[in-house]
């Protein structure tokens, strides 16, 4: 079953939520969806099950990698260098990876990238278990994983539409996010047990072997059941073409700009939460772990709630980003640890809503032949924002305190969401409508030619 070539295979954004453009597709998926409806698709089910195992291994390696570098060097700066090396390839080559993904078939590309990451983890495991590991080995492994991610990330993001088609895209993207965040609850805990029990080498080994699951799932998929999409032919200027494609469409460029502000200034939780645990509440590593766990719980809830929605509206993205920023400002003022900890749940929920809604709306509004480049640009800005913003928010936090740092990050997110919402409304020829509906206040954007307000109760 084919989803059709070109932009006609993607559903259109809601006209009340984003401006119409000449390239906006006409089809739209069903609005209502059961929470796990995309798991009925056999190919996606294989993909999802493989990611369950692999994501746990990924989180285990993240913890083990940082701990190993700290053990070898005793330097937190060295841990930061490792993280930077893993993100650097995406910042340098992310757009080129998107060009490759648009040219290649997604399943063979994923077989190559997942195998490369598996071999990297196993090599690091062997070096660690034999006692020959040095810090430059970890640096090299982190950079190698980053290089594979340049192709793997946009390929995995855009492959979802081939697995389920446009009608189930929102549900499948949301379940992927829930999958990753659920692994965030399990992986670090298992890694901690392995590190303290038998050493970091076995955590790397588990991660390397965990790639057997997604590789097996990819091999067992039925190619005839994939939704065919148009691949971009090899040619010159495709990188510039992708950038022009995004910048010429408000429904693509403005969500990416918003995610850039949110990711750079508001998503730097390692800086914020460690400062609150240590400097504000003086509660130590236990509180920091609790904050992260509660945020992961909220993220899973946000992803599952997104799975129930049948569409990804830009209006929801703007509202979720504003709520996310406002909650950070509220959290910055809380006097008690338990109040701050409880706020991590809605923060995780709204943060995940921003992530999932942006991801889905971009894929649904993009020509399939351009999807790899669009998703690569999105991932480059979203993943690259935190490392770029970390020194800035770290300086603010060190200079003016954790409360000012978190409040400033939340204010940037809320203001950016409000401004971009107004820009989208202006471009889409919409106006703000305030009235009463069913006895409740109702605020929404409506077309300017629609003169009547909602009826008063």
């Amino acid at each position: 079953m084919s989803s059709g070539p070109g932009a006609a295979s993607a559903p259109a954004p809601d006209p009340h939520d984003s401006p119409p453009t000449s390239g906006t597709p006409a089809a739209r998926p069903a609005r209502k969806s059961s929470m796990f409806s995309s798991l009925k698709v056999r190919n996606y089910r294989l993909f999802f099950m493989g990611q369950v195992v692999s994501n746990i291994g990924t989180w285990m390696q993240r913890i083990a990698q940082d701990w190993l570098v700290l053990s070898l060097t005793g330097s937190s700066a060295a841990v930061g260098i490792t993280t930077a090396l893993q993100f650097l390839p995406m910042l340098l080559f992310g757009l080129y990876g998107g060009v490759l993904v648009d040219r290649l078939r997604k399943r063979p590309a994923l077989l190559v990238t997942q195998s490369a990451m598996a071999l990297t983890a196993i090599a690091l495991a062997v070096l660690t278990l034999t006692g020959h590991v040095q810090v430059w080995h970890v640096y090299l492994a982190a950079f190698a994983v980053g290089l594979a991610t340049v192709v793997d990330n946009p390929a995995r993001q855009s492959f979802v539409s081939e697995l389920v088609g446009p009608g189930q895209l929102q549900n499948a993207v949301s379940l992927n996010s829930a999958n990753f965040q659920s692994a965030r609850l399990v992986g670090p805990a298992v890694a901690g047990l392995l590190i303290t029990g038998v050493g970091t080498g076995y955590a790397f080994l588990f991660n390397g072997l965990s790639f057997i699951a997604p590789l097996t799932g990819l091999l067992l998929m039925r190619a005839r059941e994939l939704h065919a999409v148009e691949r971009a032919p090899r040619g010159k200027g495709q990188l510039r073409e992708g950038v022009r494609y995004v910048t010429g469409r408000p429904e693509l460029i403005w969500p990416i700009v918003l995610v850039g502000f949110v990711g750079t200034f508001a998503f730097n939780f390692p800086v914020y939460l460690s400062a609150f645990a240590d400097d504000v509440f003086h509660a130590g590593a236990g509180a920091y772990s609790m904050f992260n766990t509660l945020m992961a719980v909220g993220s899973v809830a946000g992803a599952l709630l997104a799975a129930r929605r049948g569409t990804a509206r830009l209006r929801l993205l703007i509202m979720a980003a504003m709520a996310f920023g406002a909650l950070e400002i509220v959290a910055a003022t809380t006097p008690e640890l338990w109040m701050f900890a409880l706020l991590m749940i809605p923060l995780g929920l709204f943060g995940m809503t921003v992530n999932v809604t942006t991801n889905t709306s971009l894929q649904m509004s993009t020509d399939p032949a351009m999807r790899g480049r669009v998703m690569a640009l999105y991932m480059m800005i979203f993943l690259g924002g935190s490392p770029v913003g970390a020194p800035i928010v770290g300086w603010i936090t060190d200079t003016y305190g954790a409360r000012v740092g978190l409040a400033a990050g939340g204010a940037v997110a809320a203001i950016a969401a409000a401004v971009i919402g107004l820009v989208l409304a202006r471009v889409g020829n919409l106006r703000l409508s305030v009235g009463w509906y069913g006895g409740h206040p109702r605020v929404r954007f409506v077309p300017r030619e629609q003169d009547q307000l909602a009826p008063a109760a």
Side-chain angles (χ1 to χ4, degrees):
M1 177 179 175
S2 172
S3 61
S9 66
D14 190 296
H16 288 184
D17 302 320
S18 62
T21 61
S22 57
T24 300
R28 178 184 295 176
R31 284 185 175 272
K32 293 185 179 179
S33 174
S34 66
M35 187 173 289
F36 302 102
S37 58
S38 55
L39 289 176
K40 297 175 183 177
V41 180
R42 179 182 181 275
N43 282 345
Y44 178 73
R45 191 163 61 247
L46 289 169
F47 179 81
F48 183 88
M49 301 276 299
Q51 292 301 309
V52 168
V53 180
S54 182
N55 284 335
I56 292 174
T58 297
W59 279 107
M60 290 175 64
Q61 174 138 337
R62 286 189 181 187
I63 301 299
Q65 178 177 274
D66 291 347
W67 187 258
L68 176 60
V69 171
L70 194 61
S71 301
L72 291 172
T73 66
S75 168
S76 296
V79 177
I81 291 172
T82 308
T83 303
L85 286 171
Q86 194 156 328
F87 281 107
L88 184 61
M90 179 62 72
L91 291 173
L92 295 178
F93 311 117
L95 290 177
Y96 295 98
V99 172
L100 281 176
V101 167
D102 281 335
R103 293 176 181 174
L104 301 172
R105 288 186 297 152
K106 309 300 186 296
R107 187 163 64 139
L110 287 171
L111 285 169
V112 173
T113 57
Q114 298 275 295
S115 298
M117 288 190 282
L119 292 174
T120 301
I122 290 173
L124 198 54
V126 170
L127 287 169
T128 305
L129 291 172
T130 57
H132 293 95
V133 69
Q134 299 179 38
V135 69
W136 71 267
H137 293 142
V138 187
Y139 287 164
L140 184 62
F143 189 75
V145 170
L147 283 175
T149 302
V150 167
V151 174
D152 187 79
N153 263 349
R156 275 190 298 108
Q157 298 287 339
S158 54
F159 188 49
V160 173
S161 65
E162 295 186 28
L163 292 171
V164 300
Q168 295 283 0
L169 184 59
Q170 163 94 7
N171 182 263
V173 170
S174 302
L175 290 182
N176 282 352
S177 299
N179 186 335
F180 186 74
Q181 294 299 326
S182 298
R184 181 181 173 184
L185 296 173
V186 177
V190 177
L193 291 175
L194 283 178
I195 291 170
T196 56
V198 291
T200 55
Y202 286 97
F204 297 134
L205 182 62
F206 181 94
N207 183 43
L209 296 177
S210 74
F211 283 97
I212 294 174
L215 289 171
T216 302
L218 289 167
L219 292 171
L220 290 177
M221 288 178 185
R222 296 169 182 163
R224 65 181 181 277
E225 295 179 7
L226 294 174
H227 294 250
V229 298
E230 178 185 353
R231 281 188 286 152
R234 183 182 297 272
K236 293 183 178 180
Q238 290 180 321
L239 182 60
R240 292 191 299 272
E241 181 188 10
V243 174
R244 285 196 303 269
Y245 179 85
V246 171
T247 55
R249 287 163 173 77
E251 73 275 17
L252 299 181
I253 184 61
W254 288 112
I256 291 176
V257 170
L258 175 57
V259 162
F261 278 105
V262 174
T264 301
F265 297 101
F267 258 86
N268 272 288
F269 287 109
V271 176
Y272 295 137
L273 299 188
S274 59
F276 267 83
D278 191 37
D279 300 332
V280 177
F281 297 118
H282 309 289
Y288 178 64
S289 176
M290 177 180 64
F291 295 157
N292 280 282
T293 300
L294 290 173
M295 183 167 287
V297 170
S299 298
V300 172
L304 292 177
L305 287 174
R308 294 185 62 88
R309 292 190 291 270
T311 57
R313 298 185 171 195
L314 293 183
R315 178 176 63 191
L316 175 63
L317 170 61
I318 299 299
M319 294 174 62
M322 291 181 68
F324 179 75
L327 279 169
E328 285 200 340
I329 296 172
V330 172
T333 64
T334 52
E336 301 292 338
L337 186 149
W338 67 268
M339 295 173 63
F340 184 85
L342 287 179
L343 282 171
M344 294 302 102
I345 297 176
L347 270 172
L349 189 153
F350 282 106
M352 182 53 60
T353 302
V354 170
N355 187 359
V356 171
T357 306
T358 305
N359 188 316
T360 311
S361 65
L362 290 177
Q363 294 206 49
M364 286 166 39
S365 303
T366 301
D367 187 314
M370 288 283 185
R371 193 167 282 146
R373 278 164 282 185
V374 172
M375 297 312 295
L377 180 61
Y378 160 66
M379 295 303 295
M380 184 180 72
I381 291 177
F382 184 66
L383 293 179
S386 291
V388 170
I392 301 173
V393 300
W395 175 81
I396 295 173
T397 300
D398 287 341
T399 305
Y400 299 103
R403 294 189 185 278
V404 173
L406 182 59
V412 169
I415 293 170
V419 171
I420 290 172
L422 292 174
V423 169
L424 286 171
R426 184 178 179 84
V427 172
N429 197 31
L430 306 176
R431 64 173 176 81
L432 188 67
S433 170
V434 181
W436 289 83
Y437 182 80
H440 300 284
R442 186 176 187 181
V443 180
R444 58 176 180 155
F445 286 106
V446 298
R448 290 186 183 276
E449 59 268 19
Q450 183 176 328
D451 293 327
Q452 59 187 25
L453 293 174

